């Protein structure tokens, strides 16, 4: 039977309607399963996937980078997914190896993690040229970006490291293995810059971005708390108050109310 792999962009006040100002194909088919949701500062939605098939990152102008399990990267407009991103001289590249994660920093640099362990950094303005790259030798499973533009990398063997986008070869902060080999499945950055780490063996850690061995000052929750099933996604909402965290999986959202 035919399988649909669609991305919808909807109004948060009425899920039957497309988002205000959106003119692209609502229900656009990206040819691979689409799972998970993330919310940008303008309340638009992005979709992610726990199998590495569709990943989105948003640029400062709200255009999107989209990667899929075939190794393709697309740059598309946030308000019209059928149109190439403005400012992108080349809006498509194919690595030929499945994309496992994408993240975009505040300099419009795209961090691209591949299933063969390659981490590659490219610019919105020139998708054809690599800014810097390194091969971790194990699948990149999840990526996130800090406010200073550094890239947080989670791998399939439970390791987390932080690298500068212009030089991903060298650690900014010493890397750390969080589990006995279970993959890092999700990363999130709180409003005050702490790193939340989800693993395939059900655990969630909260750590300082300046020292991955330490929990943040003021954090009073259980570090390494067990949520009884593999962590399929993390979302940290910024704001004036300390960051709050939502864990998603199987349609369930659990608030983590301890201070970040």
């Amino acid at each position: 039977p035919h399988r649909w792999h669609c991305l919808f962009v909807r109004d948060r006040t009425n899920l039957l309607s497309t988002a205000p100002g959106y003119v692209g194909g609502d229900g656009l088919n990206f040819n691979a399963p689409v799972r998970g949701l993330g919310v940008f500062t303008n309340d638009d939605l992005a979709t992610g996937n726990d199998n590495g098939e569709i990943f989105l990152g948003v640029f400062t102008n709200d255009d999107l980078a989209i990667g899929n399990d075939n190794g393709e990267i697309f740059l598309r407009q946030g308000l019209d997914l059928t149109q190439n991103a403005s400012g992108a001289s080349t809006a498509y590249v194919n690595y030929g190896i499945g994309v496992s994660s994408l993240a975009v920093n505040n300099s419009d640099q795209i961090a691209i993690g591949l299933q063969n362990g390659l981490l590659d950094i490219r610019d919105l303005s020139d998708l054809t040229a690599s800014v810097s790259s390194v091969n971790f030798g194990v699948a990149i499973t999840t990526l996130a970006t800090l406010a200073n533009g550094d890239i947080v990398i989670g791998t399939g063997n439970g390791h987390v490291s932080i690298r500068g986008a212009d030089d991903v070869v060298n650690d900014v902060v010493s890397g750390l293995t969080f589990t006995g080999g279970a993959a890092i499945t999700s990363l999130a950055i709180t409003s005050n810059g702490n790193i939340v780490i989800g693993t395939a063996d059900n655990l969630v850690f909260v750590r300082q971005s300046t020292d991955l061995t330490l929990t943040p000052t003021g954090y009073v929750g259980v570090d390494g708390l067990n949520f009884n099933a593999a962590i399929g996604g993390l979302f940290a909402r910024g704001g004036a108050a300390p960051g709050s965290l939502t864990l998603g999986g199987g349609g369930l959202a659990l608030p983590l109310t301890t201070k970040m």
Side-chain angles (χ1 to χ4, degrees), residues 38 70 86 100 111 139 146 149 151 154 184 187-188 199 218 223 242 260:
N70 297 324
S86 54
S100 54
L146 296 171
I151 311 298
I184 304 298
L187 294 167
T199 76
D223 183 50
M260 294 295 170

Side-chain angles (χ1 to χ4, degrees), residues 24 31-32 37 66 91 97 101 109 111 121 140 147 149 157 165 190-191 197 203 211 218-219 223 236 240 245 254:
N31 304 314
L37 290 175
I66 302 162
I97 299 165
S101 192
Q109 294 173 311
I121 309 297
I140 307 293
N157 61 355
T190 68
S191 59
I197 300 157
L203 303 179
D211 189 340
Y219 181 74
D223 183 50
L245 175 69
L254 300 172

Side-chain angles (χ1 to χ4, degrees), residues 20 32 35 43 47 66 76 80 97 114 148 170 178 190 199 218 224 229:
R35 305 185 187 96
D43 291 327
T47 65
I66 302 162
R76 296 293 176 90
D80 187 347
I97 299 165
L114 301 181
N148 64 1
N170 300 300
F178 281 82
T190 68
T199 76

Side-chain angles (χ1 to χ4, degrees), residues 37-62:
L37 290 175
V39 181
F40 300 122
T41 54
N42 63 356
D43 291 327
D44 288 342
L45 298 178
T47 65
N49 169 287
D50 60 357
N51 292 326
E53 285 154 342
I54 296 290
F55 287 89
L56 303 181
V58 67
F59 296 101
T60 52
N61 61 358
D62 292 329

Side-chain angles (χ1 to χ4, degrees), residues 175-257:
L176 191 67
T177 298
F178 281 82
T179 66
I184 304 298
T185 55
S186 191
L187 294 167
I189 311 300
T190 68
S191 59
N192 46 11
N194 297 319
I195 301 173
V196 187
I197 300 157
T199 76
D201 60 356
N202 314 342
L203 303 179
V204 173
F205 299 85
V206 182
R207 295 297 174 92
Q208 295 182 17
S209 60
T210 54
D211 189 340
L212 293 173
T213 67
L214 301 176
T215 56
T217 302
Y219 181 74
V220 297
V222 175
D223 183 50
L225 188 63
N226 192 319
F227 278 88
N228 305 317
I231 306 303
L234 295 170
F235 170 64
R237 180 181 291 279
S244 59
L245 175 69
T246 299
L247 286 83
L252 180 65
L254 300 172
L256 186 65
T257 56

